[in-house]
Amino acid sequence: MPSRADSGAKGRVDWVFMSAVLGLIVLGTIAMVSAASPLPLYISILQRHFFALFIGILLFLVGLGFNYQIFQDQAKALYIFVLILMTAVLVVGTVHKGQKSWIHLGFLTFQPAELARIGVILVLANFLDRRARKTADFSTVLWALAIAGPVMALIMKQPDMGSTVTFFPVIVAMLFCAGADLWHLVTVFGYCFIAAAVPLIFTYCQVRYPGAAAGTWPWLVLQTSRMGVGTVVAIALFTLTGLGAWRLSIMMRLNARPLYFLILPLILSGGLLSGIVINRHLKGYQRNRFVAYVAPQSDIQGASYNVHQAQIAIGSGGLWGKGLFSGTQGQLGFLPERHTDFIYAVVGEEMGFWGALSVLGLYMLLIWRIITAARLARDRYGFLVCCGIAAMFAFNLSLNAGMCLGLMPVAGIPLPLISYGGSSLMITLGALGIVANVYARRYSLL
């Protein structure tokens, strides 16, 4: 229980947090209004944005007004609702850019995956809170993945790989904050890393070494990634490596548990097989995103076009930027998705280095205050909810800004509070309302 003198904050409202949220909304609205100005549906976009902002503010106030523990009390109902919603979008959803991820709600187009991510955070926080005495057990990690797994599988079915990826850092962060064993988290992270690395490495070899000679390492990678003899050989090598390491530990009289040498081949083999399955089911546009990341110079006018234009936009902004409505890459239409996925590039071009730095600074301030709310939370549930939301914001920021700079693969993830997107804006503000609620009730027993 935090002391009342802690942080010197005695009020129910964190004004630093509120200022960061307001600053991001204002900067995001300005950037979006400028970026979308050349589009034919400009007026409609503005109307939808301000309508979503109005609904988002209402959701923020609802999240702030209700006791956040109601989500813990109704965790089972919330989880069932999320599963029903994600199933419904596959039935009645609208296909856009190859993904059946949206539901039309009259004036707005709603993306249920945004709500599902917050729902999983609230449900997972309840699970980890109730399992506090068994957090260090590996079964806790498995159960956490089992809770999030069905939701992630339904999102992958759309298919929306970008939204699916955002779940993993949130789950790992919440498990870490809950007190899970570090080696268990390394196991999960290692599996996910290998599964994600396989399609990246395969794409790199396919683009750079399309006619690789037999026996060379690119040829071996391409053969292994086709679920053939190479895959069997790779799994056999992983197993032999684990057995060899175990025998070596016995010879050196090391006090190491045999289970560790069994887990290593399982992680490597499981990650490899999962990566192969992912690689075989990649859509054309998803493959192009990998090409843009691992071999950007191979297809500048095609797969790498978006990232290349984003880098030009950010680089041309200089220190002070070209001014609102004056960015050549954005205003002349060279930069695709400029008001949604690549809006950070518009900020860099039109507001310059200081504008881009201001966005990052406000995000750092926001994440810091979310962490502060977690630290001051009156219960473990509120602490875990804030940890999950902080991880979500940190990863989304890193992924969106990173892809504009070519440091991360393009994932089609909007920048919360900055990018145009009704469902993202509404759900984000609702989640921030819950954070404000945790902070406001940090000393309350009501």
Side-chain angles (χ1 to χ4, degrees):
M1 179 74 67
S3 66
R4 289 185 175 274
D6 197 1
S7 80
K10 297 182 180 180
R12 293 177 61 85
V13 178
D14 185 348
W15 293 109
V16 177
F17 170 81
M18 299 293 287
S19 299
V21 173
L22 181 60
L24 286 170
I25 291 175
V26 171
L27 268 178
T29 299
I30 293 173
M32 188 279 300
V33 167
S34 176
S37 59
L39 298 177
L41 299 176
Y42 181 55
I43 300 300
S44 176
I45 289 174
L46 292 185
Q47 291 174 342
R48 289 170 183 248
H49 172 76
F50 286 107
F51 180 74
L53 180 59
F54 173 73
I55 299 298
I57 292 173
L58 292 181
L59 291 176
F60 180 91
L61 295 176
V62 169
L64 177 60
F66 283 93
N67 190 331
Y68 65 88
Q69 288 179 326
I70 191 174
F71 297 109
Q72 183 171 25
D73 296 336
Q74 303 299 324
K76 292 181 180 179
L78 178 61
Y79 185 65
I80 293 173
F81 171 74
V82 168
L83 290 177
I84 293 174
L85 184 64
M86 297 313 303
T87 303
V89 73
L90 296 175
V91 178
V92 301
T94 301
V95 178
H96 180 63
K97 296 182 180 179
Q99 297 178 359
K100 200 171 186 179
S101 306
W102 287 266
I103 295 178
H104 279 296
L105 297 176
F107 191 66
L108 277 181
T109 301
F110 177 66
Q111 187 175 13
E114 298 286 347
L115 179 59
R117 185 164 52 239
I118 301 300
V120 167
I121 290 175
L122 296 172
V123 173
L124 192 57
N126 170 65
F127 167 75
L128 293 174
D129 178 37
R130 298 186 184 281
R131 200 177 170 85
R133 296 183 178 180
K134 298 182 179 180
T135 306
D137 296 347
F138 189 61
S139 60
T140 300
V141 177
L142 297 179
W143 273 111
L145 293 174
I147 290 172
V151 180
M152 295 166 61
L154 289 171
I155 296 176
M156 278 293 294
K157 190 70 176 177
Q158 295 176 2
D160 186 357
M161 182 178 294
S163 296
T164 307
V165 168
T166 61
F167 281 79
F168 287 106
V170 171
I171 295 170
V172 172
M174 292 183 70
L175 284 168
F176 176 79
C177 293
D181 188 276
L182 184 60
W183 285 109
H184 296 164
L185 296 182
V186 169
T187 300
V188 176
F189 180 80
Y191 167 80
C192 296
F193 177 81
I194 295 170
V198 168
L200 283 173
I201 296 173
F202 175 82
T203 302
Y204 177 82
C205 293
Q206 192 177 43
V207 173
R208 291 294 183 89
Y209 309 100
T216 61
W217 73 267
W219 179 84
L220 291 174
V221 170
L222 294 174
Q223 293 299 314
T224 302
S225 300
R226 287 168 183 156
M227 198 73 83
V229 178
T231 308
V232 177
V233 172
I235 293 175
L237 288 175
F238 295 153
T239 304
L240 291 175
T241 300
L243 292 174
W246 176 52
R247 291 293 300 172
L248 183 62
S249 69
I250 293 177
M251 292 174 61
M252 297 179 65
R253 297 183 178 180
L254 298 177
N255 188 20
R257 297 176 62 183
L259 181 62
Y260 293 151
F261 301 102
L262 174 63
I263 290 176
L264 180 60
L266 288 176
I267 294 174
L268 294 174
S269 301
L272 175 63
L273 293 174
S274 299
I276 292 172
V277 172
I278 293 173
N279 181 67
R280 291 167 68 105
H281 288 84
L282 285 178
K283 304 294 184 181
Y285 70 92
Q286 294 171 332
R287 177 75 65 191
N288 287 339
R289 291 174 177 177
F290 284 179
V291 172
Y293 180 64
V294 299
Q297 300 302 319
S298 63
D299 191 10
I300 291 180
Q301 295 301 318
S304 307
Y305 179 79
N306 291 11
V307 176
H308 184 63
Q309 294 299 323
Q311 291 174 325
I312 293 175
I314 294 175
S316 64
L319 192 62
W320 300 104
K322 297 178 179 178
L324 296 175
F325 303 96
S326 301
T328 54
Q329 302 303 114
Q331 297 298 316
L332 298 180
F334 292 106
L335 179 62
E337 309 295 340
R338 53 191 174 276
H339 64 305
T340 54
D341 298 346
F342 288 94
I343 197 167
Y344 188 71
V346 174
V347 173
E349 182 182 30
E350 298 188 352
M351 302 182 190
F353 171 78
W354 291 113
L357 187 63
S358 296
V359 171
L360 295 179
L362 286 170
Y363 259 108
M364 293 299 102
L365 187 62
L366 177 65
I367 294 171
W368 168 52
R369 296 314 299 175
I370 296 176
I371 294 174
T372 299
R375 184 173 60 85
L376 298 176
R378 69 178 183 179
D379 57 15
R380 182 178 168 85
Y381 178 72
F383 165 76
L384 291 170
V385 168
C386 289
C387 289
I389 294 175
M392 179 189 73
F393 272 95
F395 182 74
N396 282 11
L397 172 64
S398 302
L399 186 59
N400 188 278
M403 75 181 191
C404 289
L405 296 170
L407 301 176
M408 298 282 281
V410 176
I413 298 299
L415 188 58
L417 303 178
I418 303 292
S419 296
Y420 169 76
S423 54
S424 174
L425 181 59
M426 291 186 296
I427 300 304
T428 297
L429 286 173
L432 292 174
I434 296 174
V435 173
N437 192 312
V438 173
Y439 181 87
R441 297 176 182 273
R442 63 197 183 281
Y443 301 131
S444 173
L445 297 177
L446 298 178

